[in-house]
Amino acid sequence: MAYEYISVASEDGVGIITLNRPKILNALNLQLVDELVDQLEQMDRDPDIRVIILTGNARAFAAGADINEMAEASAIDIMKRNQFAVWDRISLISKPIIGAVSGFVLGGGCELMMNCDIVIASETAVIGQPEIKLGVMPGAGGTQRLTRVVGERKALEMLLTGEPISAKEALKYGLVNRVVPVEAYYQEALKLAKQIAQQPPLAVQVIKKAVYKAGDLPLQEGMDYERNSFYLLLASEDRKEGMQAFLEKRKPRFTGN
Ligand code: CAA
């Protein structure tokens, strides 16, 4: 697939996907989301990639779904497009996705950010779900994921006013992990991605999955899931290498096996 609206790079085991529709603030049209999910799935299959960064530019991570594409479409057109089904595939990506966000993080942009596992935000980020101002509501998780992270009261305030919150406030509500100056957000995300890329890849993926189970399962079922995942990792080569390296007082060399 040749990409028109994203660009792709890699560095030291980190795959980097940059949304690239700057003139209209990385508005997410159908093609952009198809390209993004295609590339995420490719990186997920690529053994040389261990962590993925998803970013935009300093002015905008993404200002939401492309309103031009939606403005004339009927309810039935949009239902037939089933345009959010492709988004569901993002939650099947097993490698960690680190969001490096700045500027406008609105609507579908906020929903995309919430699909990332860890988020580094620039101080200039403004984050929100303004769909109500267009007479609609979020359709890609904005009422569900946002509520799970920030709680019902803050979610209702954000969703019913449509007003964005600052990066600082997002940090307070656990919507982002770190806030850094705009000059530093991308490098900070890259540094973190490279750090995680050094970890044993199977453990990284199994831990990611287990953490999301915590939100879905009753505690004892979650504990059982965790225990079985723990047993599974004991069968990995990297477990042998990790423990051996500790005993030999050297740095481990993890292979992902
Ligand atoms: N779709 C299409 N085009 C968009 C866009 C969007 N979501 N957001 C911005 N643009 C375009 C603008 O139309 C403008 O294009 P032109 O230069 O051709 O006029 C260009 O990007 C720059 O934008 P502005 O001139 O408006 O820049 P600004 O700095 O004055 O304002 C902004 C920035 C506050 C983000 C404003 O553009 C805005 O409010 N955008 C819409 C945000 C929004 O409502 N997002 C939700 C979309 S619905 C959704 O996402 C549904 C879902 O759940 C998936």
Side-chain angles (χ1 to χ4, degrees):
M1 193 179 199
Y3 299 133
E4 189 178 350
Y5 297 127
I6 63 168
S7 60
V8 175
S10 68
E11 191 176 320
D12 299 337
V14 178
I16 301 150
I17 304 178
T18 305
L19 307 182
N20 192 14
R21 252 193 129 191
K23 281 196 186 130
I24 60 167
L25 309 180
N26 291 334
L28 305 166
N29 63 358
L30 297 171
Q31 186 182 330
L32 186 156
V33 180
D34 278 346
E35 291 179 7
L36 168 64
V37 175
D38 178 76
Q39 184 53 221
L40 283 170
E41 289 175 342
Q42 278 193 45
M43 287 183 171
D44 210 30
R45 286 190 297 268
D46 182 345
D48 294 332
I49 300 290
R50 295 183 170 191
V51 179
I52 300 166
I53 287 186
L54 180 55
T55 193
N57 56 60
R59 185 166 178 225
F61 175 61
D66 187 333
I67 297 169
N68 300 308
E69 218 173 45
M70 279 189 301
E72 301 300 327
S74 71
I76 300 300
D77 290 337
I78 301 233
M79 190 183 107
K80 280 187 178 163
R81 274 183 203 167
N82 193 16
Q83 75 184 60
F84 299 121
V86 66
W87 286 69
D88 294 339
R89 285 160 44 199
I90 303 175
S91 54
L92 299 177
I93 300 295
S94 57
K95 294 175 184 171
I97 304 175
I98 299 183
V101 307
S102 178
F104 299 112
V105 186
L106 300 175
C110 181
E111 290 166 313
L112 192 55
M113 181 195 81
M114 290 189 287
N115 269 284
C116 296
D117 303 303
I118 297 176
V119 178
I120 307 297
S122 115
E123 279 168 354
T124 64
V126 283
I127 301 170
Q129 298 283 168
E131 289 87 344
I132 195 162
K133 294 182 180 175
L134 301 169
V136 288
M137 63 179 284
T143 62
Q144 302 304 301
R145 286 205 170 89
L146 186 68
T147 306
R148 280 169 165 77
V149 178
V150 304
E152 288 168 4
R153 291 190 194 287
K154 190 64 190 173
L156 281 166
E157 183 187 335
M158 290 173 70
L159 289 158
L160 296 182
T161 65
E163 292 300 322
I165 60 174
S166 66
K168 235 185 196 168
E169 199 175 357
L171 181 64
K172 197 171 86 188
Y173 281 93
L175 199 50
V176 303
N177 294 71
R178 295 181 201 169
V179 178
V180 296
V182 63
E183 303 77 35
Y185 77 99
Y186 178 74
Q187 284 307 324
E188 183 83 1
L190 190 59
K191 201 169 110 195
L192 178 64
K194 287 184 183 179
Q195 184 187 354
I196 298 172
Q198 297 293 314
Q199 307 287 13
L202 286 174
V204 166
Q205 292 176 30
V206 172
I207 289 170
K208 167 172 165 170
K209 209 166 173 183
V211 166
Y212 288 116
K213 290 286 178 195
D216 297 337
L217 294 177
L219 183 62
Q220 196 50 51
E221 281 179 41
M223 297 296 283
D224 289 344
Y225 184 88
E226 178 186 273
R227 217 152 290 159
N228 287 328
S229 303
F230 174 80
Y231 298 147
L232 181 72
L233 288 177
L234 291 176
S236 68
E237 292 296 318
D238 281 345
R239 165 263 176 146
K240 279 188 215 146
E241 168 63 11
M243 295 188 181
Q244 198 63 37
F246 176 81
L247 295 174
E248 292 170 8
K249 300 191 187 308
R250 62 172 171 82
K251 220 173 157 242
R253 286 178 299 272
F254 295 123
T255 60
N257 294 305

